[in-house]
DNA sequence: TTTTTAACAATAGTAATACTATAGTGTTTC
DNA sequence: GAAACACTATAGTATTACTATTGTTAAAAA
């Protein structure tokens, strides 16, 4: 599978960046080290200056790629959702049963990362940690509406729509397919976060990867079951 | 009910503040106007300087009550969860059927605010908007573990434990009562947020208050139903 | 009543932050 | 050979979160 992915590039919507970081070596350095540094410091303490220092350049260079720290975060998150969507499409083609496809989708949302599915300069495991801890900050802003109009959240919406469609295939009468999908997607994040940091809020045991998937799968299939 | 509440004070854990804002007029002014200002500007643009200006004082005064902006947010959120817990206990005493109590709990988590249940200087409706939009930022930090050790999240955990206990009463074999409760609590927040700002991610129609409650109630009861 | 204490106001200051501006270097492109 | 471009280097701005100090007032303790 690796050689197949060598020819694949996860594309992020054009108006998220000023200059495509995938198009140059410096750009890829920025992405790669931004992921490492945000994971290490947290979004609040992460600055363009520190990132510039780390890759031996100056803030000005990074600002040529991304308008702001916020947009860099939006970029990383969009990349992540596009990556999940790619994996979902790949894993569900030629599978007839929508129940089976839904199971796969929930597995992907639960954060199962197969290590052979990696891209050169992006550490997917670390990126996932960032998405868990920081993605909510991308939309919990006074600028949501403006950002939404600019299309910054299209990747997320596209993935959710796709999974919602599977649910509607299984259970056309279920009234809340979109809410269910976004609930599962978000739940997956903070259940992982709670398992690590606030364990009394969850029954998911850190490390036992399948518990989260089990919890969410159970939740979804019971919710949409037709009587 | 109002005159009953006149004698009730929602108490926030002592180590969340430096000086109890409920103990002085200035303190109550700080809380009241902080709620208004955070709602208006969003947490990022909200500053102690602006708040001080609004209530005709200086930053120094506010810093005597709260160590930092972060702690003020923690205070507001703790107050909110304590308020929900109070309402939950009040609304479920003397109700025998755990199913009925659980229904009430989900209603409260869904954000049903009865207007007659208000405290003098705290606008619960606005506070709820703040909790929806900003509460995740209180724990999505590099300091979670330290903050958690200090007991900053006890209110939230206490409320969740209480509801989790009801679930266990109904369905002692269900494996994920804590995860289910925190999922519902968090889901309630961003489903409301999505309904307002990213409507394609939800089927909840803004304004139709019962939809959210319906969605969550359906989700929970189906999940814990024993076969 | 005097003394002490506390709450607050007023002012100033610090290091860091997010970002902008500008000038210059080296490499590629027409 | 000139223009365009990517990047570096340096400097600067307004604002931020927060600290420190000093002075005023008003109430509590002696």
């Amino acid at each position: 599978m690796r050689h197949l992915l060598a020819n694949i590039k996860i594309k992020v919507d054009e108006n998220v960046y000023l200059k495509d970081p995938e198009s140059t070596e410096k750009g890829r350095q920025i992405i790669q080290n931004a992921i490492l540094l945000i994971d290490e410091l947290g979004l609040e303490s992460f600055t363009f200056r520190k990132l510039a220092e780390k890759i031996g350049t100056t803030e000005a260079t990074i600002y040529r790629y991304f308008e702001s720290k916020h947009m860099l975060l939006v970029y990383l998150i969009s990349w992540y959702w596009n990556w999940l969507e790619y994996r979902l499409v790949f894993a569900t083609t030629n599978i007839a049963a929508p129940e089976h496809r839904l199971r796969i989708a929930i597995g992907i949302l639960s954060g199962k990362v197969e290590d052979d599915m990696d891209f050169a300069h992006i550490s997917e495991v670390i990126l996932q940690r960032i998405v868990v801890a920081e993605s909510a900050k991308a939309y919990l802003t006074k600028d949501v509406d403006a950002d939404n109009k600019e299309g910054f959240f299209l990747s997320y919406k596209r993935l959710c729509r796709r999974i919602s469609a599977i649910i509607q295939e299984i259970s056309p009468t279920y009234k809340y397919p979109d809410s269910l999908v976004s609930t599962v997607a978000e739940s997956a994040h903070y259940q992982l976060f709670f398992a690590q940091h606030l364990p009394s809020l969850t029954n998911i045991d850190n490390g036992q990867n399948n518990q989260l998937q089990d919890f969410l799968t159970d939740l979804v299939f019971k919710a949409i079951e037709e009587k």
Side-chain angles (χ1 to χ4, degrees), chain A:
Chain A
M1 184 167 284
R2 192 182 284 267
H3 55 297
L4 186 145
L5 288 170
N7 298 319
I8 297 280
K9 199 179 119 181
I10 302 285
K11 261 196 75 71
V12 172
D13 199 286
E14 284 201 0
N15 49 352
V16 170
Y17 50 76
L18 298 174
K19 179 188 162 79
D20 187 0
E22 293 287 344
S23 69
T24 66
E25 181 52 32
K26 264 271 126 73
R28 267 163 282 162
Q29 262 186 67
I30 289 171
I31 297 305
Q32 182 181 14
N33 289 279
I35 291 171
L36 297 175
L37 210 54
I38 292 175
D39 181 54
E40 185 190 333
L41 305 174
L43 188 70
E44 282 72 31
S45 301
F46 167 85
T47 68
F48 275 10
R49 175 155 299 166
K50 288 172 189 166
L51 175 57
E53 219 159 277
K54 193 176 169 119
I55 61 179
T57 182
T58 57
E59 286 169 285
T61 303
I62 301 166
Y63 275 105
R64 198 133 2 76
Y65 288 86
F66 295 103
E67 206 187 315
S68 64
K69 178 164 134 176
H70 178 244
M71 291 312 297
L72 173 54
L73 177 67
V74 169
Y75 179 91
L76 294 177
I77 291 166
S78 294
W79 195 98
Y80 177 82
W81 291 122
N82 281 346
W83 177 59
L84 288 205
E85 191 190 12
Y86 169 77
R87 286 169 57 207
L88 176 66
V89 171
F90 198 89
T92 57
T93 30
N94 303 320
I95 291 181
E99 290 84 0
H100 190 186
R101 273 181 276 134
L102 184 54
R103 241 166 246 283
I104 291 169
I106 297 171
I108 288 174
L109 285 181
S110 306
K112 283 201 139 180
V113 180
E114 286 128 48
D115 270 340
D116 63 341
M117 269 227 160
D118 57 357
F119 290 77
H121 59 292
I122 297 194
S123 169
E124 287 83 5
V125 176
I126 301 180
L127 178 56
Q128 188 165 259
R129 266 205 311 267
I130 291 177
V131 171
V132 164
E134 320 286 1
S135 68
K137 297 168 191 168
Y139 58 78
L140 292 177
T141 316
K142 279 284 165 184
D143 303 318
V144 219
D145 298 325
D147 285 9
N148 187 33
K149 257 185 200 153
E150 296 283 326
F152 295 169
F153 309 120
L154 281 172
S155 320
Y156 187 30
K157 294 198 265 185
R158 205 163 42 226
L159 178 66
C160 285
R161 201 183 319 128
R162 212 180 264 279
I163 302 174
S164 176
I166 303 177
I167 290 177
Q168 284 168 272
E169 221 178 304
I170 300 172
S171 177
T173 60
Y174 182 65
K175 282 193 289 183
Y176 306 105
D178 301 317
S179 290
L180 186 59
V181 172
S182 57
T183 293
V184 168
E186 299 289 333
S187 182
H189 290 164
Y190 50 74
Q191 290 300 316
L192 285 174
F193 189 87
F194 290 163
Q196 267 225 11
H197 301 289
L198 301 163
S200 70
L201 291 174
T202 185
N203 307 100
I204 277 52
D205 201 352
N206 224 345
Q208 299 199 238
N209 215 336
N210 289 338
Q211 281 188 316
L212 178 57
Q213 191 177 356
D214 182 51
F215 164 62
L216 293 174
T217 306
D218 179 69
L219 193 71
V220 169
F221 278 93
K222 279 178 181 166
I224 66 175
E225 197 180 354
E226 286 175 331
K227 314 216 157 183

